[in-house]
């Protein structure tokens, strides 16, 4: 993480951002029913938008830009960066990128989905190395939040309390298990590159398949059970599907903070040069050995 300038311990100044996302995520979860229909517009990545995508995005924008340390807001659902109103805002040191609903296609099937938060201390689009915190909230049987900040990963259960959201710590210093057990790969077999497919044919004989269509739910299984998640570059789309600013960088930061590795196929996701807000990147995250092998396979 960036050590370019001294600042208050990031928990103190970033905690308000994390808590705001936690509390807003509970509101989003409770508001999903009745918002499962598709809107007419598409998002900047050319994907259909659910009413829930747009509604969640508006909630996060409003509440995060009201925080004085937040300078700007970007999300999967809007083309440009929204700058905070300078007069109302204080030091404006953090730039927030959000995926307001990751895995929204799982809403119709009532499968797990959630929210991704990336907090950078440099203007967007930013390098993953400039993340000061990253997190995801999972709408599963429980509502949980995984947060990487100041070198460690913590898992919380989120519940409504009398004073707003209660973040109950359930796992501290979360690290990937040494022994991997699961894998999950996006895209379709005919669209995989030959080198990636050769890697899959090895891994599928060693691990169990777990793929659910929401990256953060699949990544959370890698965090808990060990293994590898990838949405690789495809023959038709060499940069794959996932976006660097609010999908690749935050999950790369979380997995690397938990002792694993991330890769775009050649290097850590956190070292991929930022070019555009909606730039796509091949995402591979998991146990170090499995990612090392993947890079060797793609270097074929
Ligand atoms: P989003 O709902 O924010 O667009 O993200 C969906 C992404 C990611 O969560 C998941 O890994 C991937 O899309 C699943 O893609 P496929 O439907 O092609 O499997
Ligand atoms: Mn997403
Ligand atoms: Mn999304």
């Amino acid at each position: 993480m960036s050590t370019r300038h001294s600042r208050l311990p990031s928990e103190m100044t970033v905690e308000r951002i994390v808590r705001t996302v936690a509390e807003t995520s509970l509101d989003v979860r409770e508001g999903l029913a009745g918002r499962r229909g598709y809107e007419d517009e598409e998002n900047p990545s050319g994907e259909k938008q659910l009413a829930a995508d747009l509604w969640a995005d508006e909630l996060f924008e409003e509440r995060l830009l009201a925080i004085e340390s937040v300078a700007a807001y970007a999300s999967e659902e809007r083309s440009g960066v929204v700058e905070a109103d300078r007069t109302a805002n204080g030091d404006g040191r953090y730039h927030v990128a959000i995926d307001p609903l990751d895995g929204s296609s799982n809403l119709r099937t009532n499968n797990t989905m959630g929210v991704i938060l990336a907090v950078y201390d440099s203007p967007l689009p930013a390098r993953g190395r400039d993340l000061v915190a990253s997190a995801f909230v999972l709408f599963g049987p429980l509502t949980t939040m995984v947060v990487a900040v100041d070198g460690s990963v913590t898992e919380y259960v989120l519940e409504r309390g009398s004073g707003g959201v209660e973040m109950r710590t359930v796992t501290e210093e979360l690290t990937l298990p040494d022994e991997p057990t699961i894998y999950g790969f996006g895209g379709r077999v005919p669209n995989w590159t030959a080198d990636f497919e050769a890697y899959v044919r090895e891994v599928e004989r060693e691990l169990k398949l777990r793929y659910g269509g929401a990256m953060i739910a699949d990544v959370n299984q890698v965090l808990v059970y060990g293994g590898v998640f990838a949405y690789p570059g495809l023959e038709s789309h060499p940069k794959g599907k996932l976006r660097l600013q609010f999908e690749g960088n935050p999950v790369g930061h979380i997995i690397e903070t938990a002792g694993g590795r991330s890769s775009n196929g050649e290097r850590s996701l956190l070292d991929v040069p930022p070019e555009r807000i909606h730039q796509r990147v091949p995402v591979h995250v998991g146990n170090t050995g499995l990612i090392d092998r993947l890079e060797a396979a793609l270097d074929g």
Side-chain angles (χ1 to χ4, degrees):
M1 269 185 286
S2 160
T3 52
R4 284 177 302 126
H5 49 73
S6 65
R7 56 172 187 263
L8 288 171
S10 49
E11 280 98 345
M12 285 173 66
T13 55
V14 166
E15 187 191 352
R16 175 115 183 265
I17 297 173
V18 171
R19 292 189 62 82
T20 298
V21 168
E23 186 143 42
T24 306
S25 295
L26 290 179
D27 295 336
V28 167
R29 179 170 194 155
E30 287 160 16
L32 291 174
R35 292 187 168 91
R36 303 200 302 174
Y38 281 108
E39 298 287 315
D40 299 336
E41 302 84 40
E42 290 183 341
N43 71 12
S45 298
E47 296 157 343
K48 292 198 298 182
Q49 292 175 305
L50 289 176
D53 284 319
L54 295 179
W55 175 70
D57 181 40
E58 282 161 23
L59 272 186
F60 284 117
E61 183 218 12
E62 174 200 328
R63 300 197 185 161
L64 287 167
L65 284 180
I67 299 174
E68 71 169 31
S69 62
V70 174
Y73 173 92
S75 95
E76 177 184 273
E77 305 308 332
R78 55 184 74 215
S79 51
V81 177
V82 182
E83 304 290 342
D85 170 358
R86 287 271 171 246
T87 52
N89 253 31
D91 60 14
R93 71 179 71 175
Y94 295 121
H95 304 256
V96 175
I98 285 261
D99 183 349
L101 278 182
D102 179 59
S104 35
S105 62
N106 280 354
L107 186 51
R108 285 181 56 198
T109 54
N110 197 29
N111 287 99
T112 301
M113 54 193 293
V115 179
I116 309 175
L117 165 68
V119 185
Y120 300 91
D121 63 0
S122 59
L124 302 171
R127 297 176 324 145
R129 296 290 171 203
D130 291 336
L131 279 165
V132 293
S134 53
F136 58 74
V137 177
L138 272 184
F139 302 152
L142 305 179
T143 304
T144 56
M145 186 173 202
V146 169
V147 183
V149 66
D150 281 357
S152 74
V153 179
T154 308
E155 181 189 23
Y156 304 89
V157 167
L158 304 186
E159 286 164 333
R160 279 224 188 279
S162 52
V165 65
E166 275 182 20
M167 297 177 65
R168 192 158 44 83
T169 302
V170 290
T171 315
E172 289 184 303
E173 304 292 335
L174 202 166
T175 52
L176 271 75
D178 292 336
E179 273 313 300
T181 54
I182 59 118
Y183 75 92
F185 299 138
R188 293 178 55 249
V189 177
N191 224 341
W192 287 340
T193 64
D195 289 343
F196 183 74
E197 182 167 0
Y199 173 75
V200 173
R201 295 301 167 235
E202 276 180 31
V203 166
E204 67 184 354
R205 306 186 65 79
E206 301 165 19
L207 306 175
K208 280 195 299 185
L209 172 60
R210 284 287 186 277
Y211 186 83
M215 174 187 66
I216 50 174
D218 295 329
V219 167
N220 198 52
Q221 293 191 87
V222 168
L223 271 174
V224 174
Y225 292 130
V228 54
F229 166 85
Y231 206 109
L234 305 172
E235 291 292 355
S236 60
H237 295 80
K239 294 293 184 193
K241 172 179 183 181
L242 302 176
R243 280 64 39 137
L244 179 66
Q245 291 298 303
F246 38 78
E247 291 172 315
N249 273 337
V251 296
H253 179 235
I254 289 167
I255 291 285
E256 291 191 11
T257 306
R261 271 207 62 198
S262 80
S263 178
N264 68 342
E266 296 164 2
R267 66 174 75 104
S268 164
L269 290 169
L270 307 185
D271 293 323
V272 173
E275 290 152 8
R276 297 177 311 284
I277 295 292
H278 299 281
Q279 125 191 39
R280 295 180 194 270
V281 66
V283 170
H284 317 80
V285 292
N287 286 75
T288 297
L290 286 166
I291 303 300
D292 290 347
R293 281 168 59 188
L294 171 104
E295 288 184 340
L298 298 190
D299 193 21

